[in-house]
Amino acid sequence: NINQLGETELNNQNDNINKALLVIDIQEDATGKTAKRPYKNSQELISNVNLVIESSEKKGITVIYIKHEINSNFLNKIVMRNRFIKGTQGSEIDSRIKIVNNYIYSKDKGNAFSNPKLDSFLKQNHINEVFIVGLDATACVYRTSIGAIDKGYKSIVLEDAIVTSNMSKMPKILEKYENEGILLTTIQKFKQNK
């Protein structure tokens, strides 16, 4: 049984000012025009994430965009197959993602909290709960979710707004999330709660 975030936990939305949505790594090199091997369900992911962004905006939840960017050097180009190189079109947020502000943080590791500016921003804005969407469920989404918990944040992943390259593994991935204390919810439940 996957731990589903209960209705009562999400109903207490009076303090949305203390919540943020982290949009993880939905970039041109992963889902967009420059992607050499785009995720198969990129359009569905982007549509779902845009619904969550719109809902977050209505609720007053701060939207934060996370980009994976690495320096252009020989080793990085080989390891990352010339993807996510800082300053290239491929490192930019996918053009289909709704951008509602300029809260964009770069990282060069799986955990978005490896960029201390993200944690500082959240603390300065008294945010104590993060909703997480994006990719990849086995890597950056997972590591950021754990990073959020390690930093003292409540970490909630929208299970129908994340992807991995092999979606048949998603049930086991979500079970791992549950075992690590990461809460799960759905877009529908997220949207229904005020």
Side-chain angles (χ1 to χ4, degrees), residues 131-176:
F131 293 94
I132 300 175
V133 299
L135 57 92
D136 185 289
T138 61
C140 298
V141 169
Y142 172 74
R143 289 186 185 109
T144 297
S145 299
I146 294 298
I149 291 169
D150 289 347
K151 293 281 186 184
Y153 299 98
K154 185 175 183 180
S155 180
I156 307 161
V157 171
L158 280 78
E159 63 185 74
D160 45 357
I162 60 172
V163 295
T164 190
S165 56
N166 184 348
M167 290 300 284
S168 68
K169 294 183 178 180
M170 193 59 84
K172 284 202 179 291
I173 293 167
L174 295 176
E175 187 176 321
K176 180 179 178 180

Side-chain angles (χ1 to χ4, degrees), residues 68-84:
H68 193 87
E69 292 187 303
I70 58 173
N71 290 320
S72 178
N73 64 45
F74 180 74
L75 182 61
N76 283 344
K77 285 182 176 184
I78 298 298
V79 171
M80 295 300 290
R81 297 187 302 270
N82 215 28
R83 298 179 313 149
F84 308 113

Side-chain angles (χ1 to χ4, degrees), residues 27 29 67-73 76-77 82-92 106-108:
Q27 295 166 254
D29 272 349
K67 297 188 335 179
H68 193 87
E69 292 187 303
I70 58 173
N71 290 320
S72 178
N73 64 45
N76 283 344
K77 285 182 176 184
N82 215 28
R83 298 179 313 149
F84 308 113
I85 305 295
K86 192 180 291 187
T88 65
Q89 181 184 357
S91 71
E92 295 304 318
S106 294
K107 63 180 178 62
D108 61 3

Side-chain angles (χ1 to χ4, degrees), residues 24-40 42 45-46 83-84 90-92 94 96 135-136 163:
I24 308 287
D25 295 353
I26 305 177
Q27 295 166 254
E28 292 291 343
D29 272 349
T31 57
K33 296 175 229 142
T34 63
K36 291 176 178 89
R37 290 187 304 164
Y39 284 78
K40 290 179 183 154
S42 293
L45 171 70
I46 288 165
R83 298 179 313 149
F84 308 113
S91 71
E92 295 304 318
D94 188 302
R96 296 168 292 174
L135 57 92
D136 185 289
V163 295

